[in-house]
Amino acid sequence: MRPLSAFLALLLLVGCEQKQDPATRYDAKALLKQKCSQCHNLDMPPQTSPDEKAPPMMAVTFHVRDFMKVANPAEKRRKFIDFVTDYALNPSAKKSYCDKKSLESYGVMPSQKGNITPEELQAVAGYMYDHYDPEKFMKIMTERARLAAMPAYKRVLEQKNCLGCHGLKKDKVAPAFSKIAKRYRDNPDAMAQSIRHGSRGKWAGFKLAMPPFKDLTPADAKAVSEWILKEAR
Ligand code: HEC
Ligand code: HEC
């Protein structure tokens, strides 16, 4: 009996521990969206608008992180979670790290009691701390700047991996750009259309269809078409 009861006790303990860790118990990202996004924009970098109801969550997180006084950096995450959990349930102008002017324009956040539980909040706050990470943000911005500095055609080739399927002069799983350039010599606009809408069955010997790239702007599709006409002859 003894080993069995010890085993059962262990099972119980393990079960308990799992229950107590909000980070694994909840889908914090989904909760954040569900419970907080009607007022806080969640994007990184954030989208701001003149009639927003609250500061973007990235701004909130950076702000609280910076202004919170924590003697021991190892405790920062824990303290952040405690602050956010408490603030969302019992907000007040006095507790807020928001500057006076913003507080006046937004008004103090309404308590989220009844909308979200303390345990759920802990999970959400932990996710906020990890997700809205200043280093991650810098990386995103650096990458954006790198892409923005590229000529449009080059950015499209890289982002959509056109040359993964097309060779410049050689067929791969898709016809060589040089062949396509011949067919569309006088018609970069038709080619651009085709790139945005995809293509199937127009090139004998190629079984694959080309997926549509609908998220390309017409200008970007035109830029890459013109590049193909110029470079792939
Ligand atoms: C009904 C709108 C609304 C909802 C929903 C909302 N907030 Fe807020 N929140 C605000 C406003 C307005 C402010 C800015 C004023 C202030 O600091 O109280 C704010 C500020 C905050 C702050 C910053 C406090 C400071 O010191 O700067 C935190 C943290 C916060 N919200 C967390 C949350 C979390 C987490 C959720 C989702 C569970 C949430 N909020 C949902 C409106 C909202
Ligand atoms: C997954 C592989 C794949 C990728 C990625 C791909 N293509 Fe294609 N592409 C094809 C195939 C296969 C065809 C031939 C389809 C057909 O037979 O109609 C094709 C056809 C084309 C055509 C000719 C369309 C027509 O109407 O005649 C153009 C232009 C073209 N691709 C440009 C591009 C550009 C620019 C990119 C990157 C933005 C790209 N492709 C990315 C597979 C790909």
Side-chain angles (χ1 to χ4, degrees):
M1 271 319 269
R2 262 182 127 208
L4 182 64
S5 53
F7 178 61
L8 283 179
L10 189 71
L11 260 189
L12 273 175
L13 272 177
V14 169
C16 248
E17 232 152 51
Q18 272 174 349
K19 261 195 191 139
Q20 275 167 359
D21 184 0
T24 51
R25 187 165 166 201
Y26 299 104
D27 181 348
K29 186 181 174 185
L31 269 178
L32 177 71
K33 184 149 190 262
Q34 190 190 338
K35 308 285 186 181
C36 317
S37 69
Q38 67 271 39
C39 297
H40 295 278
N41 177 271
L42 302 184
D43 296 341
M44 178 160 75
Q47 293 179 33
T48 53
S49 78
D51 58 345
E52 65 192 9
K53 292 190 199 138
M57 212 46 123
M58 186 188 93
V60 165
T61 305
F62 284 6
H63 200 70
V64 172
R65 228 180 151 114
D66 283 351
F67 283 83
M68 226 173 33
K69 288 187 189 68
V70 181
N72 178 359
E75 286 177 2
K76 196 150 196 174
R77 189 174 185 274
R78 182 73 252 154
K79 288 263 162 72
F80 177 88
I81 292 175
D82 290 347
F83 174 83
V84 172
T85 302
D86 174 62
Y87 194 83
L89 297 173
N90 310 293
S92 76
K94 224 176 119 197
K95 277 185 214 162
S96 178
Y97 288 107
C98 221
D99 61 278
K100 264 220 168 82
K101 233 173 116 196
S102 323
L103 254 187
E104 264 164 30
S105 74
Y106 292 121
V108 174
M109 165 164 147
S111 169
Q112 297 304 300
K113 258 182 211 159
N115 179 33
I116 185 165
T117 68
E119 271 210 325
E120 288 174 328
L121 265 169
Q122 288 189 9
V124 165
Y127 174 81
M128 281 164 61
Y129 190 89
D130 300 336
H131 177 67
Y132 299 110
D133 174 61
E135 261 176 45
K136 219 197 266 178
F137 174 62
M138 281 311 294
K139 272 199 195 129
I140 294 173
M141 296 312 281
T142 308
E143 174 62 7
R144 282 205 178 184
R146 187 183 73 83
L147 290 172
M150 279 183 178
Y153 79 84
K154 210 169 172 182
R155 176 163 34 82
V156 173
L157 290 176
E158 181 183 312
Q159 285 188 311
K160 305 299 181 193
N161 194 22
C162 311
L163 294 167
C165 290
H166 295 273
L168 204 54
K169 313 257 158 150
K170 275 196 186 137
D171 293 341
K172 291 189 179 172
V173 296
F177 276 151
S178 53
K179 282 188 189 161
I180 295 177
K182 272 198 196 100
R183 190 181 288 185
Y184 287 96
R185 191 171 324 168
D186 303 314
N187 211 344
D189 288 318
M191 197 202 294
Q193 282 279 335
S194 211
I195 293 168
R196 293 184 67 227
H197 297 289
S199 173
R200 168 195 300 270
K202 287 196 206 161
W203 292 84
F206 296 92
K207 288 199 199 101
L208 206 69
M210 175 160 89
F213 296 99
K214 289 208 165 70
D215 62 330
L216 284 183
T217 64
D220 279 356
K222 181 89 182 278
V224 78
S225 301
E226 280 167 352
W227 176 83
I228 291 169
L229 288 181
K230 198 164 122 250
E231 287 303 311
R233 279 181 217 260

